[in-house]
Amino acid sequence: MPLKARDEIVAMACPSLAGMYLVKLGLLLTLIGGVSHTDASSMRVRGESHLLLVGDAGTGKSALLRHAARLSPRSVLTTGIGATSAGLTCTAIREPGGEWMLEAGALVLADGGVCAIDEFDSIREHDRGAIHEAMEQQ
């Protein structure tokens, strides 16, 4: 019986896409998260996991990302086209009065929630490295 309830929950995830049971299950498990703990060597192990959806064009990856962003109370949905590491992490901007201020990017705004980046392959290689660094720190 517990597996039947799980199957019903998975079926309700992104109902506009038929099938894709394992992908939807993985998406929901990523949204639910896990429990962080400290191992025997005093190293903190985070409970949250990252999810990378890879597939042919037209397979519903963007629809799944949009659905995940709608399910999470704290989420940011962005695209990798034209994105920079500064735009996704934080940017220094100059106010009209001449003072400098930091403006939070998508990864910072989604802290503790979901940052869905569509078209991740469109991000330049050196910017992608900075994003990987930020993901490791989460």
Side-chain angles (χ1 to χ4, degrees):
M1 280 305 212
L3 295 180
K4 184 177 183 206
R6 179 199 63 193
D7 293 344
E8 289 179 23
I9 292 170
V10 171
M12 287 188 280
C14 201
S16 61
L17 292 177
M20 301 181 72
Y21 178 83
L22 290 177
V23 177
K24 291 178 181 182
L25 179 62
L27 177 79
L28 291 173
L29 290 174
T30 301
L31 287 173
I32 292 168
V35 178
S36 61
H37 66 278
T38 306
D39 66 8
S41 64
S42 299
M43 181 176 231
R44 183 181 163 275
V45 179
R46 61 183 168 83
E48 298 84 23
S49 61
H50 300 294
L51 177 69
L52 176 65
L53 296 175
V54 180
D56 293 333
T59 55
K61 300 178 299 293
S62 298
L64 286 165
L65 287 178
R66 284 191 302 274
H67 189 73
R70 278 195 305 268
L71 286 176
S72 177
R74 185 172 187 150
S75 66
V76 176
L77 179 61
T78 186
T79 180
I81 298 171
T84 64
S85 58
L88 291 171
T89 53
C90 76
T91 307
I93 58 170
R94 185 177 286 230
E95 292 287 312
E99 293 182 16
W100 287 92
M101 185 174 200
L102 290 178
E103 186 174 282
L107 290 174
V108 175
L109 292 172
D111 188 34
V114 172
C115 182
I117 305 173
D118 199 7
E119 304 291 339
F120 195 83
D121 61 327
S122 299
I123 300 172
R124 292 181 299 218
E125 188 64 40
H126 69 279
D127 290 327
R128 203 176 307 155
I131 294 164
H132 288 148
E133 291 272 338
M135 288 169 62
E136 287 177 6
Q137 300 303 316
Q138 292 291 315

PDB file of all heavy atoms in Angstrom, residues 64-101:
ATOM      1  N   LEU A  64       9.442  20.102 -16.616  1.00  0.00           N
ATOM      2  CA  LEU A  64       9.740  19.559 -15.296  1.00  0.00           C
ATOM      3  C   LEU A  64      10.378  20.614 -14.402  1.00  0.00           C
ATOM      4  O   LEU A  64      10.061  20.707 -13.211  1.00  0.00           O
ATOM      5  CB  LEU A  64      10.647  18.333 -15.414  1.00  0.00           C
ATOM      6  CG  LEU A  64       9.972  17.066 -15.932  1.00  0.00           C
ATOM      7  CD1 LEU A  64      11.010  16.037 -16.367  1.00  0.00           C
ATOM      8  CD2 LEU A  64       9.056  16.481 -14.872  1.00  0.00           C
ATOM      9  N   LEU A  65      11.291  21.428 -14.950  1.00  0.00           N
ATOM     10  CA  LEU A  65      11.910  22.494 -14.159  1.00  0.00           C
ATOM     11  C   LEU A  65      10.875  23.514 -13.709  1.00  0.00           C
ATOM     12  O   LEU A  65      10.883  23.959 -12.558  1.00  0.00           O
ATOM     13  CB  LEU A  65      13.012  23.190 -14.970  1.00  0.00           C
ATOM     14  CG  LEU A  65      14.301  22.415 -15.173  1.00  0.00           C
ATOM     15  CD1 LEU A  65      15.268  23.226 -16.032  1.00  0.00           C
ATOM     16  CD2 LEU A  65      14.948  22.072 -13.851  1.00  0.00           C
ATOM     17  N   ARG A  66       9.986  23.901 -14.610  1.00  0.00           N
ATOM     18  CA  ARG A  66       8.934  24.862 -14.247  1.00  0.00           C
ATOM     19  C   ARG A  66       8.036  24.294 -13.151  1.00  0.00           C
ATOM     20  O   ARG A  66       7.659  25.001 -12.213  1.00  0.00           O
ATOM     21  CB  ARG A  66       8.109  25.250 -15.472  1.00  0.00           C
ATOM     22  CG  ARG A  66       8.815  26.226 -16.394  1.00  0.00           C
ATOM     23  CD  ARG A  66       7.875  26.801 -17.448  1.00  0.00           C
ATOM     24  NE  ARG A  66       7.253  25.779 -18.289  1.00  0.00           N
ATOM     25  CZ  ARG A  66       7.793  25.267 -19.383  1.00  0.00           C
ATOM     26  NH1 ARG A  66       8.972  25.693 -19.795  1.00  0.00           N
ATOM     27  NH2 ARG A  66       7.159  24.340 -20.084  1.00  0.00           N
ATOM     28  N   HIS A  67       7.708  23.018 -13.258  1.00  0.00           N
ATOM     29  CA  HIS A  67       6.864  22.381 -12.248  1.00  0.00           C
ATOM     30  C   HIS A  67       7.581  22.334 -10.897  1.00  0.00           C
ATOM     31  O   HIS A  67       6.970  22.597  -9.855  1.00  0.00           O
ATOM     32  CB  HIS A  67       6.457  20.984 -12.700  1.00  0.00           C
ATOM     33  CG  HIS A  67       5.433  20.355 -11.824  1.00  0.00           C
ATOM     34  ND1 HIS A  67       4.113  20.745 -11.817  1.00  0.00           N
ATOM     35  CD2 HIS A  67       5.540  19.379 -10.888  1.00  0.00           C
ATOM     36  CE1 HIS A  67       3.451  20.031 -10.937  1.00  0.00           C
ATOM     37  NE2 HIS A  67       4.298  19.193 -10.355  1.00  0.00           N
ATOM     38  N   ALA A  68       8.862  22.005 -10.897  1.00  0.00           N
ATOM     39  CA  ALA A  68       9.643  21.971  -9.651  1.00  0.00           C
ATOM     40  C   ALA A  68       9.676  23.350  -9.006  1.00  0.00           C
ATOM     41  O   ALA A  68       9.544  23.476  -7.786  1.00  0.00           O
ATOM     42  CB  ALA A  68      11.058  21.472  -9.931  1.00  0.00           C
ATOM     43  N   ALA A  69       9.838  24.388  -9.824  1.00  0.00           N
ATOM     44  CA  ALA A  69       9.864  25.746  -9.286  1.00  0.00           C
ATOM     45  C   ALA A  69       8.510  26.126  -8.687  1.00  0.00           C
ATOM     46  O   ALA A  69       8.448  26.834  -7.685  1.00  0.00           O
ATOM     47  CB  ALA A  69      10.265  26.726 -10.383  1.00  0.00           C
ATOM     48  N   ARG A  70       7.432  25.646  -9.281  1.00  0.00           N
ATOM     49  CA  ARG A  70       6.091  25.935  -8.733  1.00  0.00           C
ATOM     50  C   ARG A  70       5.852  25.190  -7.417  1.00  0.00           C
ATOM     51  O   ARG A  70       5.161  25.688  -6.534  1.00  0.00           O
ATOM     52  CB  ARG A  70       5.008  25.553  -9.730  1.00  0.00           C
ATOM     53  CG  ARG A  70       4.764  26.590 -10.797  1.00  0.00           C
ATOM     54  CD  ARG A  70       3.458  26.352 -11.538  1.00  0.00           C
ATOM     55  NE  ARG A  70       3.347  25.030 -12.125  1.00  0.00           N
ATOM     56  CZ  ARG A  70       3.712  24.721 -13.375  1.00  0.00           C
ATOM     57  NH1 ARG A  70       4.202  25.653 -14.164  1.00  0.00           N
ATOM     58  NH2 ARG A  70       3.572  23.502 -13.829  1.00  0.00           N
ATOM     59  N   LEU A  71       6.410  23.997  -7.275  1.00  0.00           N
ATOM     60  CA  LEU A  71       6.197  23.204  -6.065  1.00  0.00           C
ATOM     61  C   LEU A  71       6.971  23.740  -4.861  1.00  0.00           C
ATOM     62  O   LEU A  71       6.537  23.566  -3.732  1.00  0.00           O
ATOM     63  CB  LEU A  71       6.604  21.743  -6.300  1.00  0.00           C
ATOM     64  CG  LEU A  71       5.673  20.900  -7.152  1.00  0.00           C
ATOM     65  CD1 LEU A  71       6.268  19.509  -7.360  1.00  0.00           C
ATOM     66  CD2 LEU A  71       4.302  20.796  -6.526  1.00  0.00           C
ATOM     67  N   SER A  72       8.091  24.366  -5.104  1.00  0.00           N
ATOM     68  CA  SER A  72       8.935  24.834  -4.013  1.00  0.00           C
ATOM     69  C   SER A  72       8.513  26.232  -3.562  1.00  0.00           C
ATOM     70  O   SER A  72       8.331  27.122  -4.396  1.00  0.00           O
ATOM     71  CB  SER A  72      10.398  24.861  -4.469  1.00  0.00           C
ATOM     72  OG  SER A  72      11.211  25.368  -3.439  1.00  0.00           O
ATOM     73  N   PRO A  73       8.384  26.443  -2.260  1.00  0.00           N
ATOM     74  CA  PRO A  73       7.992  27.770  -1.789  1.00  0.00           C
ATOM     75  C   PRO A  73       9.069  28.828  -2.026  1.00  0.00           C
ATOM     76  O   PRO A  73       8.780  30.017  -2.094  1.00  0.00           O
ATOM     77  CB  PRO A  73       7.748  27.565  -0.295  1.00  0.00           C
ATOM     78  CG  PRO A  73       8.462  26.324   0.058  1.00  0.00           C
ATOM     79  CD  PRO A  73       8.530  25.485  -1.180  1.00  0.00           C
ATOM     80  N   ARG A  74      10.303  28.413  -2.148  1.00  0.00           N
ATOM     81  CA  ARG A  74      11.399  29.345  -2.408  1.00  0.00           C
ATOM     82  C   ARG A  74      12.119  28.857  -3.652  1.00  0.00           C
ATOM     83  O   ARG A  74      12.894  27.902  -3.609  1.00  0.00           O
ATOM     84  CB  ARG A  74      12.342  29.379  -1.219  1.00  0.00           C
ATOM     85  CG  ARG A  74      13.424  30.395  -1.359  1.00  0.00           C
ATOM     86  CD  ARG A  74      14.213  30.513  -0.084  1.00  0.00           C
ATOM     87  NE  ARG A  74      15.141  31.616  -0.216  1.00  0.00           N
ATOM     88  CZ  ARG A  74      15.549  32.344   0.777  1.00  0.00           C
ATOM     89  NH1 ARG A  74      15.129  32.086   1.980  1.00  0.00           N
ATOM     90  NH2 ARG A  74      16.390  33.320   0.582  1.00  0.00           N
ATOM     91  N   SER A  75      11.878  29.504  -4.771  1.00  0.00           N
ATOM     92  CA  SER A  75      12.474  29.026  -6.011  1.00  0.00           C
ATOM     93  C   SER A  75      12.766  30.178  -6.959  1.00  0.00           C
ATOM     94  O   SER A  75      12.138  31.228  -6.891  1.00  0.00           O
ATOM     95  CB  SER A  75      11.550  28.028  -6.694  1.00  0.00           C
ATOM     96  OG  SER A  75      10.369  28.675  -7.103  1.00  0.00           O
ATOM     97  N   VAL A  76      13.744  29.939  -7.823  1.00  0.00           N
ATOM     98  CA  VAL A  76      14.103  30.869  -8.886  1.00  0.00           C
ATOM     99  C   VAL A  76      14.262  30.037 -10.150  1.00  0.00           C
ATOM    100  O   VAL A  76      14.965  29.025 -10.155  1.00  0.00           O
ATOM    101  CB  VAL A  76      15.420  31.620  -8.582  1.00  0.00           C
ATOM    102  CG1 VAL A  76      15.822  32.497  -9.738  1.00  0.00           C
ATOM    103  CG2 VAL A  76      15.296  32.440  -7.313  1.00  0.00           C
ATOM    104  N   LEU A  77      13.592  30.448 -11.203  1.00  0.00           N
ATOM    105  CA  LEU A  77      13.706  29.781 -12.498  1.00  0.00           C
ATOM    106  C   LEU A  77      14.419  30.734 -13.441  1.00  0.00           C
ATOM    107  O   LEU A  77      13.985  31.873 -13.629  1.00  0.00           O
ATOM    108  CB  LEU A  77      12.318  29.431 -13.034  1.00  0.00           C
ATOM    109  CG  LEU A  77      12.247  28.745 -14.391  1.00  0.00           C
ATOM    110  CD1 LEU A  77      12.967  27.401 -14.353  1.00  0.00           C
ATOM    111  CD2 LEU A  77      10.805  28.543 -14.806  1.00  0.00           C
ATOM    112  N   THR A  78      15.538  30.294 -13.984  1.00  0.00           N
ATOM    113  CA  THR A  78      16.320  31.152 -14.871  1.00  0.00           C
ATOM    114  C   THR A  78      16.809  30.317 -16.048  1.00  0.00           C
ATOM    115  O   THR A  78      16.659  29.108 -16.072  1.00  0.00           O
ATOM    116  CB  THR A  78      17.494  31.804 -14.112  1.00  0.00           C
ATOM    117  OG1 THR A  78      18.154  32.729 -14.965  1.00  0.00           O
ATOM    118  CG2 THR A  78      18.497  30.765 -13.638  1.00  0.00           C
ATOM    119  N   THR A  79      17.406  30.978 -17.009  1.00  0.00           N
ATOM    120  CA  THR A  79      17.939  30.282 -18.174  1.00  0.00           C
ATOM    121  C   THR A  79      19.436  30.531 -18.263  1.00  0.00           C
ATOM    122  O   THR A  79      19.934  31.574 -17.827  1.00  0.00           O
ATOM    123  CB  THR A  79      17.227  30.735 -19.458  1.00  0.00           C
ATOM    124  OG1 THR A  79      17.787  30.013 -20.558  1.00  0.00           O
ATOM    125  CG2 THR A  79      17.384  32.208 -19.708  1.00  0.00           C
ATOM    126  N   GLY A  80      20.152  29.571 -18.819  1.00  0.00           N
ATOM    127  CA  GLY A  80      21.591  29.704 -18.957  1.00  0.00           C
ATOM    128  C   GLY A  80      22.004  30.565 -20.131  1.00  0.00           C
ATOM    129  O   GLY A  80      23.159  30.978 -20.231  1.00  0.00           O
ATOM    130  N   ILE A  81      21.074  30.886 -21.009  1.00  0.00           N
ATOM    131  CA  ILE A  81      21.405  31.693 -22.185  1.00  0.00           C
ATOM    132  C   ILE A  81      21.738  33.111 -21.725  1.00  0.00           C
ATOM    133  O   ILE A  81      20.911  33.798 -21.147  1.00  0.00           O
ATOM    134  CB  ILE A  81      20.239  31.702 -23.192  1.00  0.00           C
ATOM    135  CG1 ILE A  81      19.975  30.280 -23.679  1.00  0.00           C
ATOM    136  CG2 ILE A  81      20.530  32.628 -24.355  1.00  0.00           C
ATOM    137  CD1 ILE A  81      18.724  30.133 -24.506  1.00  0.00           C
ATOM    138  N   GLY A  82      22.959  33.510 -21.928  1.00  0.00           N
ATOM    139  CA  GLY A  82      23.409  34.837 -21.537  1.00  0.00           C
ATOM    140  C   GLY A  82      23.721  34.989 -20.062  1.00  0.00           C
ATOM    141  O   GLY A  82      24.064  36.082 -19.615  1.00  0.00           O
ATOM    142  N   ALA A  83      23.605  33.915 -19.284  1.00  0.00           N
ATOM    143  CA  ALA A  83      23.874  33.998 -17.848  1.00  0.00           C
ATOM    144  C   ALA A  83      25.373  34.012 -17.590  1.00  0.00           C
ATOM    145  O   ALA A  83      26.149  33.383 -18.302  1.00  0.00           O
ATOM    146  CB  ALA A  83      23.233  32.821 -17.128  1.00  0.00           C
ATOM    147  N   THR A  84      25.770  34.736 -16.573  1.00  0.00           N
ATOM    148  CA  THR A  84      27.168  34.774 -16.136  1.00  0.00           C
ATOM    149  C   THR A  84      27.232  34.314 -14.694  1.00  0.00           C
ATOM    150  O   THR A  84      26.218  34.287 -13.987  1.00  0.00           O
ATOM    151  CB  THR A  84      27.745  36.196 -16.230  1.00  0.00           C
ATOM    152  OG1 THR A  84      27.018  37.044 -15.322  1.00  0.00           O
ATOM    153  CG2 THR A  84      27.667  36.738 -17.647  1.00  0.00           C
ATOM    154  N   SER A  85      28.433  33.975 -14.234  1.00  0.00           N
ATOM    155  CA  SER A  85      28.579  33.554 -12.843  1.00  0.00           C
ATOM    156  C   SER A  85      28.214  34.696 -11.909  1.00  0.00           C
ATOM    157  O   SER A  85      27.623  34.479 -10.853  1.00  0.00           O
ATOM    158  CB  SER A  85      30.004  33.071 -12.577  1.00  0.00           C
ATOM    159  OG  SER A  85      30.933  34.097 -12.866  1.00  0.00           O
ATOM    160  N   ALA A  86      28.530  35.936 -12.300  1.00  0.00           N
ATOM    161  CA  ALA A  86      28.176  37.089 -11.468  1.00  0.00           C
ATOM    162  C   ALA A  86      26.662  37.239 -11.382  1.00  0.00           C
ATOM    163  O   ALA A  86      26.113  37.522 -10.314  1.00  0.00           O
ATOM    164  CB  ALA A  86      28.800  38.356 -12.029  1.00  0.00           C
ATOM    165  N   GLY A  87      25.974  37.047 -12.484  1.00  0.00           N
ATOM    166  CA  GLY A  87      24.523  37.185 -12.478  1.00  0.00           C
ATOM    167  C   GLY A  87      23.830  36.102 -11.686  1.00  0.00           C
ATOM    168  O   GLY A  87      22.762  36.325 -11.123  1.00  0.00           O
ATOM    169  N   LEU A  88      24.440  34.918 -11.617  1.00  0.00           N
ATOM    170  CA  LEU A  88      23.822  33.820 -10.878  1.00  0.00           C
ATOM    171  C   LEU A  88      24.213  33.810  -9.405  1.00  0.00           C
ATOM    172  O   LEU A  88      23.497  33.270  -8.577  1.00  0.00           O
ATOM    173  CB  LEU A  88      24.169  32.481 -11.519  1.00  0.00           C
ATOM    174  CG  LEU A  88      23.526  32.243 -12.882  1.00  0.00           C
ATOM    175  CD1 LEU A  88      24.103  30.992 -13.532  1.00  0.00           C
ATOM    176  CD2 LEU A  88      22.016  32.129 -12.779  1.00  0.00           C
ATOM    177  N   THR A  89      25.354  34.417  -9.059  1.00  0.00           N
ATOM    178  CA  THR A  89      25.779  34.444  -7.655  1.00  0.00           C
ATOM    179  C   THR A  89      25.468  35.812  -7.043  1.00  0.00           C
ATOM    180  O   THR A  89      24.522  35.952  -6.298  1.00  0.00           O
ATOM    181  CB  THR A  89      27.264  34.083  -7.517  1.00  0.00           C
ATOM    182  OG1 THR A  89      28.039  34.919  -8.380  1.00  0.00           O
ATOM    183  CG2 THR A  89      27.501  32.637  -7.885  1.00  0.00           C
ATOM    184  N   CYS A  90      26.271  36.809  -7.338  1.00  0.00           N
ATOM    185  CA  CYS A  90      25.960  38.172  -6.897  1.00  0.00           C
ATOM    186  C   CYS A  90      26.744  39.155  -7.767  1.00  0.00           C
ATOM    187  O   CYS A  90      27.760  38.812  -8.350  1.00  0.00           O
ATOM    188  CB  CYS A  90      26.248  38.384  -5.419  1.00  0.00           C
ATOM    189  SG  CYS A  90      27.974  38.561  -5.004  1.00  0.00           S
ATOM    190  N   THR A  91      26.239  40.369  -7.831  1.00  0.00           N
ATOM    191  CA  THR A  91      26.821  41.393  -8.679  1.00  0.00           C
ATOM    192  C   THR A  91      27.005  42.668  -7.877  1.00  0.00           C
ATOM    193  O   THR A  91      26.139  43.030  -7.073  1.00  0.00           O
ATOM    194  CB  THR A  91      25.886  41.683  -9.873  1.00  0.00           C
ATOM    195  OG1 THR A  91      25.593  40.459 -10.531  1.00  0.00           O
ATOM    196  CG2 THR A  91      26.512  42.635 -10.851  1.00  0.00           C
ATOM    197  N   ALA A  92      28.124  43.357  -8.078  1.00  0.00           N
ATOM    198  CA  ALA A  92      28.335  44.672  -7.465  1.00  0.00           C
ATOM    199  C   ALA A  92      27.790  45.725  -8.416  1.00  0.00           C
ATOM    200  O   ALA A  92      28.161  45.767  -9.584  1.00  0.00           O
ATOM    201  CB  ALA A  92      29.820  44.903  -7.206  1.00  0.00           C
ATOM    202  N   ILE A  93      26.882  46.547  -7.907  1.00  0.00           N
ATOM    203  CA  ILE A  93      26.298  47.602  -8.730  1.00  0.00           C
ATOM    204  C   ILE A  93      26.512  48.943  -8.047  1.00  0.00           C
ATOM    205  O   ILE A  93      26.614  49.028  -6.832  1.00  0.00           O
ATOM    206  CB  ILE A  93      24.786  47.370  -8.989  1.00  0.00           C
ATOM    207  CG1 ILE A  93      24.017  47.281  -7.676  1.00  0.00           C
ATOM    208  CG2 ILE A  93      24.556  46.126  -9.808  1.00  0.00           C
ATOM    209  CD1 ILE A  93      22.517  47.291  -7.848  1.00  0.00           C
ATOM    210  N   ARG A  94      26.599  49.987  -8.850  1.00  0.00           N
ATOM    211  CA  ARG A  94      26.788  51.331  -8.308  1.00  0.00           C
ATOM    212  C   ARG A  94      25.440  52.042  -8.243  1.00  0.00           C
ATOM    213  O   ARG A  94      24.726  52.133  -9.234  1.00  0.00           O
ATOM    214  CB  ARG A  94      27.750  52.135  -9.170  1.00  0.00           C
ATOM    215  CG  ARG A  94      28.079  53.499  -8.568  1.00  0.00           C
ATOM    216  CD  ARG A  94      29.091  54.209  -9.413  1.00  0.00           C
ATOM    217  NE  ARG A  94      30.374  53.569  -9.201  1.00  0.00           N
ATOM    218  CZ  ARG A  94      31.479  54.247  -8.907  1.00  0.00           C
ATOM    219  NH1 ARG A  94      31.456  55.543  -8.852  1.00  0.00           N
ATOM    220  NH2 ARG A  94      32.600  53.614  -8.719  1.00  0.00           N
ATOM    221  N   GLU A  95      25.121  52.518  -7.060  1.00  0.00           N
ATOM    222  CA  GLU A  95      23.887  53.263  -6.846  1.00  0.00           C
ATOM    223  C   GLU A  95      24.017  54.656  -7.473  1.00  0.00           C
ATOM    224  O   GLU A  95      25.131  55.132  -7.711  1.00  0.00           O
ATOM    225  CB  GLU A  95      23.615  53.400  -5.343  1.00  0.00           C
ATOM    226  CG  GLU A  95      23.277  52.092  -4.659  1.00  0.00           C
ATOM    227  CD  GLU A  95      21.891  51.618  -5.019  1.00  0.00           C
ATOM    228  OE1 GLU A  95      20.937  52.405  -4.954  1.00  0.00           O
ATOM    229  OE2 GLU A  95      21.776  50.437  -5.383  1.00  0.00           O
ATOM    230  N   PRO A  96      22.887  55.311  -7.741  1.00  0.00           N
ATOM    231  CA  PRO A  96      22.953  56.670  -8.315  1.00  0.00           C
ATOM    232  C   PRO A  96      23.776  57.654  -7.475  1.00  0.00           C
ATOM    233  O   PRO A  96      24.376  58.574  -8.006  1.00  0.00           O
ATOM    234  CB  PRO A  96      21.481  57.096  -8.374  1.00  0.00           C
ATOM    235  CG  PRO A  96      20.716  55.822  -8.455  1.00  0.00           C
ATOM    236  CD  PRO A  96      21.510  54.826  -7.662  1.00  0.00           C
ATOM    237  N   GLY A  97      23.823  57.445  -6.165  1.00  0.00           N
ATOM    238  CA  GLY A  97      24.600  58.333  -5.296  1.00  0.00           C
ATOM    239  C   GLY A  97      26.085  58.033  -5.305  1.00  0.00           C
ATOM    240  O   GLY A  97      26.873  58.703  -4.648  1.00  0.00           O
ATOM    241  N   GLY A  98      26.515  57.023  -6.030  1.00  0.00           N
ATOM    242  CA  GLY A  98      27.927  56.666  -6.116  1.00  0.00           C
ATOM    243  C   GLY A  98      28.343  55.538  -5.200  1.00  0.00           C
ATOM    244  O   GLY A  98      29.478  55.077  -5.265  1.00  0.00           O
ATOM    245  N   GLU A  99      27.462  55.085  -4.320  1.00  0.00           N
ATOM    246  CA  GLU A  99      27.802  53.995  -3.414  1.00  0.00           C
ATOM    247  C   GLU A  99      27.668  52.649  -4.129  1.00  0.00           C
ATOM    248  O   GLU A  99      26.857  52.496  -5.023  1.00  0.00           O
ATOM    249  CB  GLU A  99      26.860  54.001  -2.203  1.00  0.00           C
ATOM    250  CG  GLU A  99      27.025  55.194  -1.316  1.00  0.00           C
ATOM    251  CD  GLU A  99      26.098  55.117  -0.108  1.00  0.00           C
ATOM    252  OE1 GLU A  99      25.583  54.012   0.180  1.00  0.00           O
ATOM    253  OE2 GLU A  99      25.893  56.148   0.527  1.00  0.00           O
ATOM    254  N   TRP A 100      28.492  51.688  -3.695  1.00  0.00           N
ATOM    255  CA  TRP A 100      28.436  50.344  -4.253  1.00  0.00           C
ATOM    256  C   TRP A 100      27.535  49.466  -3.401  1.00  0.00           C
ATOM    257  O   TRP A 100      27.489  49.600  -2.190  1.00  0.00           O
ATOM    258  CB  TRP A 100      29.834  49.735  -4.319  1.00  0.00           C
ATOM    259  CG  TRP A 100      30.662  50.351  -5.394  1.00  0.00           C
ATOM    260  CD1 TRP A 100      31.508  51.408  -5.273  1.00  0.00           C
ATOM    261  CD2 TRP A 100      30.720  49.952  -6.753  1.00  0.00           C
ATOM    262  NE1 TRP A 100      32.086  51.699  -6.473  1.00  0.00           N
ATOM    263  CE2 TRP A 100      31.625  50.811  -7.408  1.00  0.00           C
ATOM    264  CE3 TRP A 100      30.098  48.959  -7.496  1.00  0.00           C
ATOM    265  CZ2 TRP A 100      31.918  50.698  -8.748  1.00  0.00           C
ATOM    266  CZ3 TRP A 100      30.399  48.842  -8.830  1.00  0.00           C
ATOM    267  CH2 TRP A 100      31.295  49.705  -9.439  1.00  0.00           C
ATOM    268  N   MET A 101      26.860  48.566  -4.066  1.00  0.00           N
ATOM    269  CA  MET A 101      25.941  47.662  -3.370  1.00  0.00           C
ATOM    270  C   MET A 101      26.008  46.287  -4.028  1.00  0.00           C
ATOM    271  O   MET A 101      26.239  46.189  -5.229  1.00  0.00           O
ATOM    272  CB  MET A 101      24.532  48.236  -3.472  1.00  0.00           C
ATOM    273  CG  MET A 101      23.489  47.515  -2.737  1.00  0.00           C
ATOM    274  SD  MET A 101      21.971  48.468  -2.874  1.00  0.00           S
ATOM    275  CE  MET A 101      21.102  47.817  -1.526  1.00  0.00           C
TER     276      MET A 101
END
